Amino acid sequence: MNFTAIDFETANCERCSVCAVGLVRVENGETVATFNSLINPQTYFDNRCIQVHGIFPQDVEGAPTFPQIWRKIRPLLSDTVVAHNAPFDISCLRACLAQFRPADAAEFDYICTLAISRKMFGRGGNRLNELAQTFGLGGFKHHDAFEDAAICAQLFKILEQRTDVSPFKKRFIPPF
């Protein structure tokens, strides 16, 4: 299956406060495109979020805003999008799109690797870093948007080989 793995980090608890995005595009089992960027959310940063991802307000000064990033990531969101804890990442995308309403927002399928892993292995040990260790995917900087997306892509390829992922597909419909 061709897909794009995605991960967002947020500046605060508001889903439209994305401050980083990472994407990894996989076609025919090979990575064909990547994208990684800080985003200026044009809002405040919560200390709890900073402690999770390590991104500070000064890090995003001069960074592009989400509408500027959208032009670059939109072509990668065409068929299937994969995320670990997709309800979070998809809600971030939905909130950002609702805020600036681009004309080219489109529907696509999405799949949650967290939901698949919980179904396959039960409720414990399903954090992205735990699954990376379980499957020997190597070390990575957890809560770095690009590194999370890259590990998610590797994880999805493994899960897809071990189970039918089609029951986990959901449809993203733009919020307007």
Side-chain angles (χ1 to χ4, degrees), residues 1-7 21-27 32-35 72-84 90 108-111 113 149-150 152-153 156:
M1 172 186 307
N2 296 337
F3 66 91
T4 300
I6 191 168
D7 187 74
V21 64
L23 291 96
V24 174
R25 177 71 184 164
V26 176
E27 295 179 3
V32 297
T34 62
F35 184 81
K72 296 176 181 178
I73 68 172
R74 171 60 188 95
L76 300 173
L77 305 177
S78 58
D79 45 20
T80 302
V81 173
V82 174
H84 198 74
I90 295 301
F108 57 80
D109 291 330
Y110 69 93
I111 299 175
T113 56
C152 181
F156 183 70

Side-chain angles (χ1 to χ4, degrees), residues 73-139:
I73 68 172
R74 171 60 188 95
L76 300 173
L77 305 177
S78 58
D79 45 20
T80 302
V81 173
V82 174
H84 198 74
N85 192 14
F88 172 79
D89 295 291
I90 295 301
S91 70
C92 289
L93 180 61
R94 182 173 279 114
C96 289
L97 293 176
Q99 192 170 32
F100 89 96
R101 305 175 66 85
D104 62 345
E107 295 183 19
F108 57 80
D109 291 330
Y110 69 93
I111 299 175
C112 180
T113 56
L114 177 60
I116 296 169
S117 68
R118 283 181 174 163
K119 180 74 172 176
M120 291 177 70
F121 310 118
R123 299 215 40 97
N126 293 302
R127 293 185 50 193
L128 189 57
N129 59 329
E130 294 168 330
L131 291 166
Q133 184 175 14
T134 297
F135 290 112
L137 300 178

Side-chain angles (χ1 to χ4, degrees), residues 63-76:
T65 61
F66 188 84
Q68 294 166 319
I69 292 292
W70 176 249
R71 288 190 287 268
K72 296 176 181 178
I73 68 172
R74 171 60 188 95
L76 300 173

Side-chain angles (χ1 to χ4, degrees), residues 153-169:
Q154 291 180 51
L155 175 62
F156 183 70
K157 289 192 282 187
I158 292 167
L159 297 175
E160 187 181 31
Q161 291 173 352
R162 295 179 178 213
T163 192
D164 178 10
V165 298
S166 60
F168 295 92
K169 276 188 183 179

